Structures are given as structure tokens and as C-alpha cells.
Amino acid sequence: MRKSLLALAAGLLLAASVGAASAADKLKVGFIYLGPIGDLGWTYQHEQGRLALVKELGDKIETTYLENVPEGPDAERSIEQLVRAGNKLIFTTSFGYMDPTLKVAKKYPNVHFEHATGYKRNPNMSTYSAKWYQGRYIQGLIAAKMSKSGVLGYIGSFPIPEVVSGINATILAAQTINPNIKVKIIWANTWFDPGKEADAAKALIDQGADVIMQHTDSPAAMQIASERGKLAFGQDSEMIKFGPKTQLTSILDTWGPYYIERVKAELAGTWKSEDSWGGLDSHMFAMAPNTNMPDDVKKMAEDAQAAITSGKLHPFKCPIVGQDGKPVECKGGDHLDDGQILGMNFYVKGIDDKLPGK
Amino acid sequence: MELVEAIILAVLAASTPLLIAATGELVTERSGVLNLGVEGMMIVGAACGFGGAWLTGSIFIGALFGIVAGTLMSLIFALMALGLAVNQVATGLALTILGVGLSGLIGAGFVGERITPAVHLHIPGLTDIPLVGRVLFGEDGFVYFSVALVIGVWWFLYRTRAGLILRACGDNHVSAHALGYPVLRIRTFAVMFGGACAGLAGAYLPLAYTPFFIPGMTAGRGWIALALVVFSSWRPGRLVVGAYLFGAVTILQLHAQGWGVGIPSQFMSALPYLATVIVLVLLSRARTGGSTAPAALGTVFVPDR
């Protein structure tokens, strides 16, 4: 009895060490998430991307993720924790992780980092993002067509260029349908607080908005719009469950292909620090089916999507007039150049609100 | 007029979870126990409350699930902080971390599910009175309960012998013990009451506020409730002022942004915190001068035989 127990223990030890050896051979890939993986918005989509990665390369890699990591000093600790755990490629998936990621990247030159939606890079730190403003332009067209009151409601998270360019793309598109369209903007100053997002949606609707757009992560605003019989756009994910008669369309973040591509590069030893900023043409994101709208609006939205994908239509086509009434310098030929969009810190004409911090 | 009514309705909804959670914590702290785990108990209450309502189709049962979940969480705290006399601050923080993880685990099965939210009262005639009708006679049950709760707690603390004993435990546990009161048992009940309230406050979020469950949906409301208790100088009356003021400024700053008031939104977002702290500090200075923290708050008590 005793012998067999010893043998069993030895066998278990052997199995454990074999397991550890094979685990060590696998490439370790880490993810830092801002919200919970069940937020049904931003973090949820990154998690879907990770799952797609595991499905594709699961026998060669081992993935870890840390969720609910606040932006700021905590992020630095968490990123470093993933490095110490042996991860060789680390994706940090929120704008606010930019400086912490850079700091850790400089400290560990042998580890590769990928930061989503930032603009700072290093030889071992890439950035990746998507041209969501293209999707927001399409939403602006739909919103202007569908709004009866001529007032759109926009829930912003933080006044960073990505969000500001989304607001501008929306209103530029809407103005092509209705030159007098108004947009009311409420900044939640958080990416994720369902209660506050719901309060913001209520406030916008109470003030006359009948189409709600959001750049925050939960489906709360969609649900309020649904309760009040208004229309809304989803964010990051398919949110039609929360407003079957409410959702017009939604920008869908589809990270899977990018994650697979980058991990394959890492496995092949060809990983390089890059800046990936893809649009509808590169499938960095997609649009949910157009619903709850008449056929002519649907057709208009589809045409606009095709035109943007083929490059015929640019949301920031010059001339663009700033809020101050002066034309914006046009650096990209017939449209604003990528740098201007990535650093956008002004409102276009027609928004009678002040950009925070301006 | 309609806008004013809409704003008041939104304020009541935003303030209710803070009021419920803070009232529970006030009783806990009055007994001399500092439980920093409110956020953790709330989020588990939210997950279990939603789960209960989703499984049974009843908001009432959901609320009960929330209460039971919060109470069970608080029992973990009571076991550690009272039974084993572990440091209360550390135990409370650990409870929050545990709660956040646990809620994700419990809630994983029903993320994305929908329920019918708590119904709002409707009394024909009364509810239809302009402006005040919906505010007074058109709320969901949680709102009325929160008001009854805080009045009940005030009455209990200041008008009953049991309340006096509870406060005595918080102010001087040695004397209370010497007089023959079971300090640890009283504190355990106070901690459980705080847990039940936090669980209910958490359950309010997915059952009435935003009728779905998402991990992390309490978004720091437990911490705000904790702060409200301190700034109210551990007095129920001021707690009501603080909770409603916080809710009111939260909602008003959103409306101010929608109207295009040219104040930076970052400042507007900080405004509820600033306004509440300033008003409560002024209140406590005007009346009694200085804070009235229970003297034995947060101290460990190990009774001799």
C-alpha cells in the first residue's frame, strides 16, 4: 500500500514536471483589460479576440489576462506582474495604459508590448487601433435621417482625440443630411459605470434628444433609450438584445484577426514595433446589421459603408470648418491626415458646446 | 415642469442605493466596527439579486437574495474581524476584493440576460398630480423602503434601549462589557445588518436602476456610501442630506453639460464629491463642532472571561 502510494506520488511529480516543461515551451501571451470581461462592450470584445487567438494557436501559446485593471500606477504594477510571470508578448488594451506600458517596455527590452489606441511607441512596443470614426460617420448619417427632433444625444467618456474625432465625424455626417442638426454632449468621465451612463442617457432624452450615441462601454444607455421609445447605437459590441426595437447599428470591435497575426509574427520571430491603424477596408472593425430603419436609410448606410471601405468617401474631407469658424488646415491632400485625426482636439462648426479643457 | 420632475426622479434613483448602503454601514460603525467591505458586499448583492430575480421572475425574491448574499458576506467579515480579532481595515479591504471576484463568478452565467425591472407604484389620481405626483407616489418599492429604513434606524439608535446599548458598544466597549452586555454578539448583529443593507443596495442596481447584470456595475458606490457615513458624522439625518445631495449634484451636472454650460466636464464630474463633502463638513461644524466618531471605532475587542 505504502509503496503504491509512493509510486503514485512519484508519478504525479513526474507528470507535473513534464507539464511544466511543455508549458515552458509555449509562448506566453498576456492581456491587460480595463473592465470586466463580461462588460458586453470594450473588454468583452478584447476577450473575444483572445478566445479567437486561443482557438487558432492554442497548442503553441498560453494566454493570461488580468481584468478590471485601473488606468494609472496600478496598471504599471499589473503589466510588470505579467512580465515577471514570463509573458513574452503583452497586449494592454486601453488608452490610459499608454504611459505605464511605455515605462515597463523600457525596463524590459526583451519583452514585446502592444498598446491599443495610444500613440507612443518604442522598439519593443507597438500600437494598434481602428478607424472607428469611419463607423461613426455612418452612424451620423443614420442618426440625422432618423431623428425627428433634430437633436442627437452623445455620451462621451473622456475628451481624448479618439472620442472627439468620433463626435466630429458624427456631426459632419449628420450635417450633410440636416444642416441645422444639433448635438448635445455629456461627458461621463468614465469608461464604465452603467448607472452613470443610464443617468446621462436619461438627461439627454429629457432634454429633447431622440437618438442616443455613446462612447462608454455598457449597454445601459441602449436600455434607457429602449425604455423611453427612442433610438440608439450600440458600442463595441452587438447590443441589440438590450434594445431590439432601438438599436440602429453598432460598431463591432473585431480584434481576433489582429491578435492572431501578431502572435504568429512573434512565434516566427518576425515581430517588429509597428503602428497598426486599420479601418473598414482592413477589417479592424465591422458594423452590426442596420436595423429599425426604413429601407432607404438602410441603403444609404450600406452605400456609405461601401464608399468608405473603397476609399471613395473620407469622413474628414476638406474643407472642414472648426468651431471658431476658421477652416482647419488640410494636411492630407483632400482630407485631414492621420496625424490630425489621431490628435484631434477641436470641435467642428455646428457643435455649440465647449470642448473640455479648451 | 416636466423636466424638473424628470430630474427629481433621476435624483431619487441615483441616491437610493447610496442611502441604503450608507445606513447599514452607519449602524455597523455605531457599534464600533469599521467594515470597509461595503463595495464587495454590494457587488455580490447585485449578482445574487439579479440571479434570484432572473431565476424566479420575482423582483422581491431577487431583493431577498441580495439581502441574504450581503449578510453572508458580512458574516465572513464578522468571523475574521470579530471572532479572530484580525485587523478590521485589512479584513474589510479583503472582503471587497473577494466580493468583486465572487460576483464575477456568480454572475458569469447571466451576463447579458434581461429581466423586467421593479415596477413603479401607480395610484390613480395621486400619481397623476403634476410635478409631485410621480415623485411622491410613483417610485419603485426600494425608494420607499430606503426612506423607511433610515427613519427606522434613527428611531432605533436614539429612541430605544437596544440602540443605546449598541451605541455604547461603539463608544466604549470595555464599559459596555463590564456592564454585562455581550459586545461581540451585538457587534455581529450590527455587522450583519450592514451587510444586509449593502446587499440590498447592490441588488437595487440590477433590479431597478439598470435592469441587467454586468460585473463591476456598482462602480465604486460602496466607497461613496462609506465616505458619506464619515462626512455625516455618523448621524442618520445628515446621511439623508448627504446621499440626496450627492445624487442631486450627480444628475444636475449631467444636465448642465447637456445644456452646454461652459464648465470643464472633469470639474463637473468631481462636483458631487466636492459639494457633498463641503456641505456635510459645514453641517457638522455648525451644530456640534467637530466630528462625533464612535470612540471605539475600528478597535479590536477581545473580552476577558
Side-chain angles (χ1 to χ4, degrees):
Chain A
M1 183 65 193
R2 195 165 185 179
K3 253 187 191 165
S4 62
L5 266 181
L6 270 174
L8 184 69
L12 277 176
L13 266 176
L14 192 69
S17 63
V18 168
S22 70
D25 291 333
K26 288 184 173 180
L27 172 70
K28 283 183 141 188
V29 183
F31 290 82
I32 300 277
Y33 295 149
L34 179 68
I37 56 171
D39 71 355
L40 296 176
W42 179 256
T43 294
Y44 175 78
Q45 290 300 131
H46 282 284
E47 173 66 4
Q48 295 306 305
R50 185 188 70 86
L51 292 173
L53 175 68
V54 169
K55 201 171 166 203
E56 178 86 10
L57 299 167
D59 50 337
K60 299 189 188 74
I61 59 168
E62 197 186 309
T63 61
T64 321
Y65 65 84
L66 299 177
E67 57 182 334
N68 281 318
V69 178
E71 297 175 332
D74 253 10
E76 207 180 305
R77 225 171 13 245
S78 302
I79 299 164
E80 199 156 346
Q81 193 184 323
L82 285 186
V83 174
R84 294 227 174 105
N87 290 282
K88 289 293 169 207
L89 181 61
I90 295 170
F91 294 90
T92 58
T93 63
S94 183
F95 181 78
Y97 298 148
M98 179 165 66
D99 291 326
T101 308
L102 187 65
K103 223 167 150 188
V104 181
K106 285 186 169 157
K107 208 164 153 189
Y108 298 96
N110 295 327
V111 179
H112 292 154
F113 296 86
E114 297 252 355
H115 175 238
T117 71
Y119 52 83
K120 293 184 182 169
R121 278 170 290 278
N122 206 48
N124 63 333
M125 175 178 167
S126 287
T127 50
Y128 63 105
S129 187
K131 293 179 176 170
W132 292 291
Y133 67 84
Q134 297 178 340
R136 301 224 173 240
Y137 189 89
I138 299 169
Q139 294 185 350
L141 294 174
I142 300 171
K145 279 272 190 199
M146 299 303 293
S147 174
K148 291 193 187 84
S149 65
V151 180
L152 312 179
Y154 209 112
I155 305 169
S157 45
F158 294 96
I160 57 171
E162 183 202 319
V163 183
V164 175
S165 65
I167 294 173
N168 284 339
T170 304
I171 198 72
L172 286 172
Q175 283 168 347
T176 66
I177 308 283
N178 172 5
N180 298 319
I181 196 119
K182 294 254 175 303
V183 61
K184 283 183 179 284
I185 301 163
I186 291 183
W187 296 96
N189 283 299
T190 175
W191 288 110
F192 180 80
D193 179 343
K196 202 167 177 188
E197 293 166 42
D199 289 339
K202 281 184 205 163
L204 288 167
I205 293 171
D206 289 337
Q207 290 189 21
D210 62 353
V211 180
I212 302 297
M213 302 152 143
Q214 63 175 83
H215 208 134
T216 44
D217 290 349
S218 89
M222 171 72 67
Q223 208 172 34
I224 294 296
S226 165
E227 255 174 50
R228 305 266 179 116
K230 308 293 177 192
L231 296 166
F233 294 96
Q235 163 73 0
D236 303 323
S237 298
E238 182 59 89
M239 291 184 174
I240 196 148
K241 254 205 284 204
F242 295 94
K245 296 201 166 98
T246 308
Q247 180 176 293
L248 295 163
T249 181
S250 175
I251 291 173
L252 308 176
D253 303 344
T254 46
W255 300 110
Y258 180 77
Y259 287 155
I260 292 167
E261 181 197 316
R262 298 301 281 171
V263 170
K264 275 186 176 162
E266 180 73 33
L267 285 167
T270 57
W271 189 95
K272 272 201 322 281
S273 174
E274 278 173 21
D275 173 27
S276 309
W277 198 37
L280 281 166
D281 54 340
S282 67
H283 305 291
M284 276 299 263
F285 72 95
M287 300 299 287
N290 298 306
T291 46
N292 296 313
M293 61 184 84
D295 286 343
D296 60 320
V297 181
K298 196 180 279 186
K299 169 125 189 1
M300 176 200 67
E302 281 161 7
D303 290 350
Q305 185 170 344
I308 291 174
T309 309
S310 68
K312 255 188 266 168
L313 173 65
H314 196 290
F316 291 109
K317 188 172 178 307
C318 297
I320 287 173
V321 182
Q323 201 176 22
D324 52 4
K326 293 182 193 134
V328 179
E329 189 194 356
C330 194
K331 290 183 183 165
D334 67 339
H335 55 79
L336 300 187
D337 81 351
D338 283 0
Q340 283 178 298
I341 300 169
L342 281 169
M344 196 167 273
N345 65 347
F346 62 87
Y347 278 151
V348 295
K349 198 179 157 195
I351 300 178
D352 53 1
D353 200 344
K354 257 178 80 179
L355 183 59
K358 284 288 274 187
Chain B
M1 273 304 117
E2 262 178 41
L3 186 60
V4 174
E5 189 179 350
I7 291 175
I8 297 174
L9 289 173
V11 169
L12 286 172
S15 310
T16 296
L18 299 177
L19 186 61
I20 297 176
T23 303
E25 178 66 12
L26 183 133
V27 172
T28 304
E29 293 194 16
R30 272 291 186 171
S31 81
V33 183
L34 181 65
N35 184 354
L36 295 181
V38 180
E39 178 82 3
M41 299 188 291
M42 264 182 90
I43 189 69
V44 173
C48 294
F50 184 88
W54 181 62
L55 289 172
T56 63
S58 157
I59 295 293
F60 183 73
I61 294 177
L64 285 182
F65 267 60
I67 290 172
V68 171
T71 311
L72 290 176
M73 286 289 286
S74 71
L75 276 174
I76 301 176
F77 177 86
L79 179 72
M80 300 295 291
L82 302 178
L84 303 174
V86 178
N87 180 296
Q88 291 178 6
V89 171
T91 310
L93 293 175
L95 193 70
T96 288
I97 298 168
L98 173 72
V100 170
L102 207 57
S103 75
L105 189 70
I106 298 167
F110 38 80
V111 165
E113 296 297 337
R114 297 188 57 179
I115 55 162
T116 314
V119 285
H120 284 239
L121 184 69
H122 190 269
I123 309 171
L126 285 178
T127 310
D128 303 324
I129 303 170
L131 196 60
V132 292
R134 277 191 63 201
V135 172
L136 292 179
F137 307 109
E139 301 296 339
D140 55 60
F142 291 90
V143 175
Y144 298 111
F145 180 79
S146 69
V147 175
L149 180 75
V150 75
I151 293 173
V153 161
W154 172 83
W155 177 81
F156 170 79
L157 283 178
Y158 296 104
R159 289 288 180 275
T160 68
R161 190 177 164 76
L164 184 68
I165 297 167
L166 183 133
R167 284 188 288 140
C169 290
D171 282 327
N172 191 331
H173 48 213
V174 179
S175 300
H177 177 66
L179 288 171
Y181 294 116
V183 174
L184 286 183
R185 198 186 309 159
I186 290 166
R187 284 187 170 172
T188 304
F189 281 127
V191 166
M192 285 169 68
F193 181 77
C197 288
L200 181 68
Y204 175 77
L205 295 170
L207 296 183
Y209 206 31
T210 54
F212 56 77
F213 177 76
I214 284 187
M217 72 185 299
T218 49
R221 284 177 180 75
W223 298 109
I224 296 168
L226 268 168
L228 282 173
V229 176
V230 176
F231 283 108
S232 71
S233 310
W234 294 267
R235 284 159 188 265
R238 287 180 196 159
L239 195 68
V240 177
V241 174
Y244 283 122
L245 185 75
F246 188 89
V249 182
T250 304
I251 300 300
L252 280 175
Q253 65 94 4
L254 293 174
H255 275 278
Q257 287 195 48
W259 287 317
V261 177
I263 302 168
S265 74
Q266 294 90 340
F267 178 75
M268 301 275 247
S269 290
L271 208 57
Y273 302 87
L274 284 175
T276 310
V277 168
I278 291 170
V279 167
L280 289 176
V281 166
L282 286 180
L283 263 183
S284 62
R285 280 181 65 95
R287 285 278 189 73
T288 49
S291 150
T292 50
L297 181 63
T299 50
V300 167
F301 179 63
V302 184
D304 48 7
R305 301 288 140 206

